[in-house]
Amino acid sequence: MDHILRKGVEQRRKMLINILLSFKIYNNEEQLSELSLTELENEFKRLKSTSHPHSNNGSIQWKK
């Protein structure tokens, strides 16, 4: 059971790191890999609350 929980935590960490890297807030993955899951979750929540829903990542964009 412990192995399953540990694997889930690592998968969530990797997902959050990839999301934060896609928004180009951090320069490299090494900075993010030093953060705990709780710290990554807080960074993601902060990013989510300050990002405009129609920014460049995963939104509909008008083309001229």
Side-chain angles (χ1 to χ4, degrees):
M1 183 71 166
D2 188 42
H3 175 67
I4 295 170
L5 182 61
R6 189 176 307 130
K7 186 176 178 182
V9 168
E10 282 304 312
Q11 287 176 344
R12 179 71 177 159
R13 285 184 82 244
K14 287 179 184 179
M15 184 185 73
L16 290 170
I17 287 171
N18 288 334
I19 291 171
L20 292 171
L21 286 174
S22 72
F23 279 92
K24 297 183 175 114
I25 293 174
Y26 290 90
N27 295 335
N28 57 22
E29 191 173 339
E30 291 175 12
Q31 288 176 313
L32 294 172
S33 64
E34 295 174 358
L35 299 177
S36 69
L37 178 59
T38 304
E39 292 169 327
L40 289 171
E41 291 279 356
N42 290 337
E43 284 296 313
F44 176 66
K45 287 177 187 174
R46 185 184 61 78
L47 172 70
K48 197 172 173 183
S49 69
T50 60
S51 293
H52 189 275
H54 299 282
S55 64
N56 292 331
N57 292 330
S59 64
I60 298 173
Q61 299 289 318
W62 291 100
K63 293 193 176 193
K64 295 181 180 183

